[in-house]
Amino acid sequence: MTAATLNTEGQSPKKIQLNTRYMFLIGLIVVASVGFSIANPNFFSIANIGILLRSISVLFLLSMGMTFIMLTGGIDLSVGSNVAFAGGVGVVVLTSTGIPVLGFAAALIAAMAIGFINGFFIGKLKLSAFMVTLATMALARGLALVIYDADSINVTNTTFLWLGGTSIGNFPIVIPFVALVFAALCVVLYKTAYGRDVYAVGSNINTAFLMGRQADRTVVSVYVLTGLLVGIAAIITVGRVSSGQPWAGLYLEFDAITAVILGGTSLFGGRGKLFGTILGVLLYGIIINGLILTGTNPYLQSLIKGLILLGVVLIDTISQRRSAQ
């Protein structure tokens, strides 16, 4: 009996399934990258790689937060609108006071407030995550439009723009920052009792409650945590374009959900890894970047995004039904 066989036998079926999923994703990333590089030689240029990394940095943050939420069996449709709202609050405070730290704090607090509203109604009052976050999606976007008066606000403060707009050559400084956030969240999810609570709530919330875990608090906390990540994403978004935009983050919630499910996190909770989410974001970002480089019609790009989301939801549902048999 070989060592490889021993390793396989020592793993649970779910872990083997996830590992297979990751290898498949890595293969798709390689195939997509090679394919787009053939279609457009500029795909592997340093400039385009910098553009790709900068463009998916926000999606990385939102998707990591969405992973925590979906591990508990929830969903958050408000993250895209919350990016616009939090960015608007931060920009208004910055322009009113001229103090970047206050702008940062305002953006983070505003985003976490939306996250707390979501978590309270879902975790404490036991309302539908879909309906609650659908409502806060409209609420946050409406507040953003009111704050901006449906117009953009230019930002010139270099400190506020630093994280989202600074590069060393063609390499965005935001990428190592996102890597640090990823490492910190991995420690939280895999090395702490809180992370075990997140998985327990998603696997079976009633069992988690009987085991003495504070399921409602865990649900509230994952939405607040996601709000914190949304606030950071809002600051990065403003830095990327040097302005606050009322329509910032449009459809980002669907991009994040697609990337997370693509990475192997189940819609039904209790199964998934942050590493898979990173692979899902990278593959999704490569596809969108490649479509733009090859001059694909923007309307067709939306169609392809929809088909990808429909496909990964179908695959996840079939996989869940098979594992339940």
Side-chain angles (χ1 to χ4, degrees), residues 222-282:
V222 295
Y223 282 95
V224 174
L225 172 63
T226 300
L228 174 63
L229 296 173
V230 168
I232 298 171
I235 294 168
I236 293 170
T237 300
V238 172
R240 283 178 55 194
V241 296
S242 300
S243 65
Q245 305 280 346
W247 294 108
L250 194 63
Y251 303 130
L252 267 179
E253 57 275 358
F254 298 109
D255 293 344
I257 292 168
T258 302
V260 172
I261 302 175
L262 194 61
T265 298
S266 174
L267 269 171
F268 304 95
R271 190 186 78 227
K273 300 284 185 180
L274 286 172
F275 177 68
T277 295
I278 294 301
L279 293 178
V281 171
L282 189 56

Side-chain angles (χ1 to χ4, degrees), residues 65-121:
M66 191 71 74
T67 301
F68 273 78
I69 287 174
M70 291 177 63
L71 283 174
T72 65
I75 199 165
D76 191 349
L77 302 179
S78 69
V79 291
S81 298
N82 200 3
V83 167
F85 167 63
V89 172
V91 167
V92 167
V93 171
L94 172 69
T95 54
S96 300
T97 64
I99 304 174
V101 173
L102 292 180
F104 291 144
L108 297 177
I109 292 170
M112 291 171 70
I114 296 294
F116 176 77
I117 292 171
N118 287 334
F120 180 80
F121 279 93

Side-chain angles (χ1 to χ4, degrees), residues 9 17 29 59 72 80 82 103 110 118 140 150 175 189 192 214 223 239 254 272 286 303-304 309:
E9 290 180 353
Q17 187 179 33
I29 289 170
L59 184 57
T72 65
N82 200 3
N118 287 334
I175 295 305
L189 188 58
T192 67
Q214 299 292 330
Y223 282 95
F254 298 109
I286 286 171
L303 173 63
I304 293 171
L309 177 57

Side-chain angles (χ1 to χ4, degrees), residues 125-209:
L125 302 185
K126 313 301 181 187
L127 300 184
S128 162
F130 180 87
M131 294 307 300
V132 170
T133 59
L134 183 65
T136 52
M137 176 178 73
L139 171 67
R141 185 66 66 182
L143 288 171
L145 288 167
V146 170
I147 290 170
Y148 286 111
D149 195 21
D151 197 7
S152 61
I153 300 175
N154 291 327
V155 178
T156 58
N157 187 286
T158 55
T159 302
F160 199 87
L161 299 177
W162 183 82
L163 184 58
T166 304
S167 296
I168 300 175
N170 289 305
F171 186 77
I173 200 70
V174 70
I175 295 305
F177 173 81
V178 171
L180 289 174
V181 173
F182 170 73
L185 291 178
C186 283
V187 172
V188 170
L189 188 58
Y190 306 131
K191 302 296 183 181
T192 67
Y194 174 76
R196 291 190 289 273
D197 287 347
V198 170
Y199 278 103
V201 169
S203 297
N204 191 315
I205 191 169
N206 294 322
T207 301
F209 179 77

